[in-house]
Amino acid sequence: MRNKMQKNKSIFWWVFLVIVILLQSVVFANENKDIANQEVVSYFTTFYGKQNGLESKNFNTITQTEEGYIWVGGYGGLFCYDGVSFERKKLGDGIVNISCLYTDTKNRLWIGTNDSGLYCYDQKANVISKYGTSTGFTSLYIYTIAESGDGILYIGAGDGLYLIFEDSSVKKIDNSPDISCQVTLEYNAVSDAMIGVTKSGILFAVRGEEILQTERLYDRDSASYYCAANKKNGEICIGITNGKVEICTFDGEKFQKNRKVYKTEFAWVEDI
């Protein structure tokens, strides 16, 4: 059975599947000076299913490559949207149960699975590279993928955190089993650190092979950290299982202690 997060994500991507298309129009009203030169933005949602080429109802992840293609992955495999319809992409026998997708700065598509390890698809060269037990991974369950400012790929797996360097070599971070099974993993450019949260509620910061800090949430409505996202100004938004969001910073060594706390209308903040 998949964990609660994956189940909810699958439902989310099906209900909201797959694209919210932004229609922006600028209206200039000559007859009314109060609304003259006012920009009006409207939105509409388009739902996609079998009639558009989607052969599966369950999706866990979505990303976009620089050509504009939108990729979605789930238990039914990998699909690509070209602006008109979806097409199933059979890039390898093991690319079926997809847990996460990521596009790096070289426009390579990284594909994490829950049972077959990690794959890298270089579209320009039309080459698929597989990362598994033969390349240094000891877990084939890939939870998260993120890239740092120096081009290193951080791979969150079931037994810890791995690094993939420019030469494609793999290094597992020492003591990283303490921060395994990551729900979220994002690069914070201001502090030059990777910020993440694990399934067990550990907030952590990593730079290179060094775990800079780990932190749990104790004695607060029996709640725990569940997700995190970085703002452009370096602030970190941390979602909590009691429906609250904490805002803090990371100075490169430790997380800020005095934090702003906001109560949302949700019972559980699962993703930001």
Side-chain angles (χ1 to χ4, degrees):
M1 295 290 294
R2 300 284 292 176
N3 58 61
K4 177 179 180 295
M5 179 198 71
Q6 294 291 357
K7 288 181 180 178
N8 289 340
K9 280 191 174 182
S10 296
I11 295 172
F12 173 80
W13 291 120
W14 175 237
V15 174
F16 194 73
L17 197 59
V18 162
I19 306 169
V20 176
I21 302 175
L22 170 63
L23 175 66
Q24 179 173 327
S25 59
V26 181
V27 179
F28 297 97
N30 295 325
E31 68 278 8
N32 191 334
K33 292 183 180 180
D34 292 334
I35 61 173
N37 299 325
Q38 180 178 347
E39 182 177 334
V40 179
V41 180
S42 58
Y43 302 85
F44 65 89
T45 303
T46 302
F47 295 90
Y48 293 85
K50 287 185 177 181
Q51 70 276 14
N52 307 105
L54 283 173
E55 304 169 19
S56 175
K57 296 182 179 180
N58 299 303
F59 295 94
N60 300 320
T61 180
I62 184 170
T63 191
Q64 184 175 25
T65 50
E66 66 180 21
E67 301 89 350
Y69 294 120
I70 295 175
W71 300 78
V72 294
Y75 306 134
L78 181 67
F79 294 82
C80 181
Y81 181 72
D82 62 3
V84 178
S85 62
F86 284 89
E87 178 185 357
R88 181 190 290 273
K89 294 293 185 180
K90 298 180 180 179
L91 302 180
D93 294 336
I95 306 178
V96 180
N97 296 318
I98 298 173
S99 53
C100 54
L101 294 172
Y102 185 81
T103 305
D104 68 12
T105 53
K106 294 182 179 180
N107 199 37
R108 296 176 298 182
L109 178 66
W110 292 84
I111 306 163
T113 72
N114 67 6
D115 54 8
S116 300
L118 177 70
Y119 296 81
C120 177
Y121 177 37
D122 188 331
Q123 301 174 75
K124 186 176 180 180
N126 194 28
V127 173
I128 297 284
S129 301
K130 180 178 180 179
Y131 293 83
T133 54
S134 62
T135 58
F137 281 82
T138 52
S139 171
L140 297 180
Y141 197 134
I142 307 300
Y143 280 87
T144 51
I145 307 168
E147 184 179 12
S148 63
D150 54 6
I152 297 175
L153 272 296
Y154 289 67
I155 312 299
D159 65 347
L161 194 62
Y162 295 78
L163 305 178
I164 299 180
F165 299 95
E166 288 284 340
D167 61 359
S168 298
S169 61
V170 176
K171 168 71 175 178
K172 184 178 180 181
I173 298 178
D174 293 337
N175 300 320
S176 63
D178 296 337
I179 54 171
S180 62
C181 304
Q182 303 83 3
V183 177
T184 56
L185 186 66
E186 284 192 8
Y187 176 64
N188 187 295
V190 174
S191 62
D192 187 31
M194 200 65 69
I195 308 297
V197 179
T198 70
K199 284 175 59 179
S200 59
I202 298 176
L203 173 70
F204 65 88
V206 175
R207 184 186 299 118
E209 299 180 33
E210 181 183 3
I211 300 175
L212 302 171
Q213 187 182 2
T214 61
E215 178 183 308
R216 283 185 180 273
L217 184 63
Y218 291 106
D219 300 325
R220 193 179 299 172
D221 302 326
S222 300
S224 62
Y225 295 130
Y226 199 80
C227 59
N230 297 300
K231 298 171 66 175
K232 290 183 178 180
N233 64 0
E235 288 184 331
I236 304 165
C237 302
I238 309 166
I240 307 174
T241 56
N242 59 8
K244 295 180 180 180
V245 173
E246 288 187 358
I247 308 295
C248 76
T249 58
F250 183 75
D251 64 7
E253 296 181 357
K254 59 185 181 300
F255 291 105
Q256 172 189 359
K257 289 186 177 180
N258 298 322
R259 305 174 183 179
K260 300 177 183 177
V261 181
Y262 299 92
K263 175 63 179 176
T264 71
E265 60 184 21
F266 306 106
W268 182 309
V269 180
E270 186 174 281
D271 199 2
I272 299 178

